[in-house]
Amino acid sequence: MLNLFTNRYQAFQSAQGVPVRITLGAPRFKLPYPLACAVRELAPRREYFSLPLPEFTAAYRADLDQLGAMWIARRLRQVADEHADHRLVLLCFEDLADPQQWCHRRIFASWWKDTTGDAVRELSPMTYEQGTLM
């Protein structure tokens, strides 16, 4: 069994599950918890960040399609098995309570739901728009 969640680095709490980095770079600020691991394959490519949101989303989802849900599930199950916890929290930087921000973690969540049928819940507050768009 695998339960996936998303959150931002600053809002994660150890009781939520296993903290998994899905960003190209690690936080440069001190975290009050150790990161369990990084799954860099779930980080968008650096060049995508200059794209408008619709193009970013299409490019990132194409990368996820290329990896495939089975490969991603195997990789995430490996992390869960290593930490003896089926709750994985995929982390990045953006504060989704700010309506001006959007994040690849919610694009991943939408892709995962579309591909597997399994929902990925955000653990930090989101604006209404973020909750419905992604």
Side-chain angles (χ1 to χ4, degrees), residues 78-93:
Q78 178 185 33
V79 172
D81 290 346
E82 288 171 8
H83 297 278
D85 193 334
H86 61 90
R87 299 166 304 139
L88 301 183
V89 184
L90 310 179
L91 300 174
C92 67
F93 296 98

Side-chain angles (χ1 to χ4, degrees), residues 2 67-81 88 112:
L2 191 60
L67 288 170
M70 289 182 66
W71 185 92
I72 293 169
R74 268 195 311 273
R75 177 69 179 103
L76 294 175
R77 274 193 208 98
Q78 178 185 33
V79 172
D81 290 346
L88 301 183
W112 189 257

